[in-house]
Amino acid sequence: MKTVLLVTVVLFIVIVLWAISIGITYWDAASRRKLPGIEIAAWIALVVFIPGIGFAAYFFARLLGNSLSPNHQKVERPRRLTNLKRQLIPEQRTGTIPAAEFLQSTGSETFPAPLPSAGMRAKNRQYIIHILAGPNNGEEYILDNFPVRIGRGFDVFISLDDDHGVSRQHAEIYQQTGVLRIRDLNSTHGTKVNDFSITDKGLDPGDQIQVGVSILKVGVLEQPV
């Protein structure tokens, strides 16, 4: 009788621990790490059918992935603005002394310089991303360092956690020979620029990037000197 009672108690404890391990794995994978649904189902199946070993394997894989991830290093996040401000257009510069004298004699009226395109190279250009639509509507990000990743979670620069159409590592904005570009990082729902699906494309000021339901507009803070 005592043996039966002891076996029952041990079996009950094992079942409780097994259920807790399943719950912890699901919460960590879905809520904290925001893994894709297929990956979550695979880990849950492993924990269910291989109790103990599956749970240990999940957390070992998580620790190993964090230590080997290229984004595990501490990175400087871009400055984030919450209030939209109108950017001042710099005054037009004149290339010669006679032209400057002519402008002074005819008045102080100046004309705005045209926005630079992605095909132009500029060492001192500084970019800004305006979020026009989606859960993060109204936010702005000044891009100080490249590359800049867009996605969900803590290991991206532009974090769109509440947009469930955005992958954890969705897209990356980078510079190549002074030209601003964006590439899709094999996201689930893809990346669009001006309503066209892209894999890798140059960006111009005014271009609109769509990831999930969010729309991001490319802007320029400083004109090239």
Side-chain angles (χ1 to χ4, degrees):
M1 186 65 181
K2 290 182 179 180
T3 303
V4 174
L5 180 60
L6 180 61
V7 170
T8 302
V9 171
V10 171
L11 183 62
F12 175 77
I13 294 174
V14 170
I15 292 175
V16 170
L17 293 177
W18 176 63
I20 291 175
S21 68
I22 295 173
I24 292 176
T25 302
Y26 178 80
W27 170 79
D28 184 77
S31 300
R32 294 189 62 188
R33 302 185 65 194
K34 295 183 172 63
L35 298 178
I38 296 178
E39 190 172 347
I40 294 175
W43 281 116
I44 293 298
L46 183 66
V47 175
V48 169
F49 292 107
I50 310 179
I53 298 177
F55 183 68
Y58 170 76
F59 276 93
F60 177 78
R62 176 187 172 186
L63 294 175
L64 184 63
N66 288 340
S67 63
L68 297 180
S69 174
N71 295 314
H72 183 68
Q73 299 178 352
K74 184 178 180 181
V75 293
E76 182 181 355
R77 301 180 68 90
R79 287 178 287 165
R80 176 174 171 178
L81 307 178
T82 55
N83 296 322
L84 297 176
K85 296 182 179 179
R86 182 181 298 274
Q87 304 299 328
L88 298 178
I89 301 177
E91 296 182 354
Q92 184 181 19
R93 297 192 174 191
T94 56
T96 62
I97 295 177
E101 294 175 351
F102 174 76
L103 288 176
Q104 290 177 359
S105 62
T106 55
S108 59
E109 182 180 1
T110 59
F111 299 93
L115 288 174
S117 65
M120 299 173 58
R121 301 180 182 180
K123 295 182 180 180
N124 298 323
R125 189 182 306 162
Q126 191 174 32
Y127 296 96
I128 183 170
I129 296 295
H130 309 271
I131 301 183
L132 304 181
N136 298 83
N137 181 27
E139 294 182 357
E140 292 181 339
Y141 291 85
I142 296 176
L143 309 185
D144 292 321
N145 299 293
F146 292 97
V148 171
R149 288 203 170 185
I150 304 171
R152 299 167 64 190
F154 300 102
D155 53 350
V156 295
F157 281 94
I158 301 179
S159 181
L160 306 173
D161 288 345
D162 295 328
D163 190 337
H164 298 289
V166 175
S167 300
R168 293 182 66 247
Q169 299 286 328
H170 196 106
E172 182 177 73
I173 299 175
Y174 67 102
Q175 281 186 316
Q176 186 176 55
T177 62
V179 177
L180 193 69
R181 301 186 65 85
I182 185 171
R183 56 186 162 213
D184 185 78
L185 300 176
N186 297 320
S187 62
T188 302
H189 300 291
T191 302
K192 292 183 178 181
V193 175
N194 298 330
D195 293 327
F196 290 95
S197 296
I198 61 96
T199 55
D200 193 309
K201 186 183 182 303
L203 291 173
D204 288 316
D207 281 350
Q208 294 189 6
I209 304 165
Q210 181 175 351
V211 291
V213 298
S214 300
I215 297 178
L216 293 68
K217 183 177 180 181
V218 181
V220 176
L221 279 180
E222 297 179 4
Q223 302 295 329
V225 177

